[in-house]
């Protein structure tokens, strides 16, 4: 895939930037972990109610509202877009 080709070309630069942040470890491992976390998010089932906050929306269900920022981001993408992103990442991960 083109994304994997770009990753391989830019990996040394990405690793240097990662090292400069002082995070430690390999950027490649961090990217694989991020892909794994995105793919682990399950879509919401049924109708979910939101309420408008001052500058954003919150889930009315307190359990959903306490979910991770990643889960809420994928849910807000919608089930079709989240599934497309996860399918793409499943194809991309082995190429990295």
């Amino acid at each position: 895939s083109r994304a994997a080709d770009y990753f391989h070309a830019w990996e040394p630069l990405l690793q240097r930037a990662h090292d400069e942040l002082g995070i430690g470890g390999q950027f490649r491992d961090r990217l694989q972990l991020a892909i794994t976390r995105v793919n682990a998010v399950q879509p919401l089932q049924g109708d979910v109610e939101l309420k408008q906050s001052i500058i954003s929306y919150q889930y009315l269900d307190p359990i959903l509202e306490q979910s991770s920022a990643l889960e809420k981001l994928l849910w807000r993408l919608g089930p079709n877009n989240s599934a497309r992103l996860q399918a793409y990442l499943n194809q991309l991960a082995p190429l990295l």
Side-chain angles (χ1 to χ4, degrees), residues 7-71:
F7 172 76
H8 292 296
W10 296 343
E11 186 174 10
L13 177 64
L14 294 168
Q15 183 61 50
R16 279 195 305 275
H18 185 263
D19 292 342
E20 288 176 9
L21 292 172
I23 296 171
Q26 297 297 308
F27 177 78
R28 173 186 293 265
D29 295 338
R30 197 81 157 165
L31 179 59
Q32 289 287 358
L33 176 61
I35 290 171
T36 299
R37 288 186 63 205
V38 168
N39 285 331
V41 174
Q42 297 297 311
L44 292 174
Q45 301 297 318
D47 293 331
V48 177
E49 293 185 61
L50 295 170
K51 68 176 181 175
Q52 188 168 7
S53 177
I54 295 172
I55 58 170
S56 64
Y57 287 87
Q58 295 179 333
Y59 289 95
L60 287 178
D61 182 332
I63 294 172
L64 293 178
E65 186 55 35
Q66 291 178 3
S67 299
S68 74
L70 175 63
E71 290 171 310

